[in-house]
Amino acid sequence: MTDRKRELITGAAGRIGEVLHQGLMDRYRLRLMYHSKIHTVADGSEVFVGDVVDFEAMIKATKGIDVVAHMAADPSGSTPFARILALNVQGTY
């Protein structure tokens, strides 16, 4: 048993999500949230598949979690505002 806090990283497949995973895996018990592109996880981190705009999925994803690093975003410079609003505002809520 460990006393490390549990952290959820949304957008775990993204560049920043991957860096956070590597940088925090020794300090936290991680749950990595993927939307569709799932990377291989060999360090014992949990994997959760869902969409940050799905409120019920987020309730499940955050169960037992102490802290969330919300990195889910669309890095494209041509992302429509509605998608940015969904990921950054609705997803954060």
Side-chain angles (χ1 to χ4, degrees):
M1 197 82 180
T2 179
D3 59 351
R4 293 184 297 167
K5 291 191 182 247
R6 296 181 55 130
E7 179 173 358
L8 170 68
I9 300 174
T10 69
R15 289 176 294 233
I16 297 172
E18 287 181 349
V19 169
L20 282 176
H21 175 204
Q22 295 304 311
L24 297 175
M25 65 184 177
D26 292 333
R27 295 179 58 200
Y28 293 90
R29 293 173 30 209
L30 298 176
R31 180 175 297 156
L32 308 173
M33 185 169 179
Y34 297 95
H35 180 250
S36 59
K37 180 182 175 187
I38 301 170
H39 293 204
T40 302
V41 179
D43 64 19
S45 294
E46 277 184 69
V47 171
F48 186 90
V49 179
D51 191 332
V52 296
V53 300
D54 178 344
F55 189 75
E56 293 302 318
M58 290 308 298
I59 294 295
K60 291 176 186 174
T62 56
K63 185 174 178 136
I65 293 295
D66 298 302
V67 63
V68 176
H70 179 48
M71 300 294 120
D74 185 336
S76 168
S78 61
T79 302
F81 180 72
R83 184 67 179 150
I84 292 170
L85 184 66
L87 292 173
N88 293 329
V89 177
Q90 186 179 351
T92 300
Y93 173 75

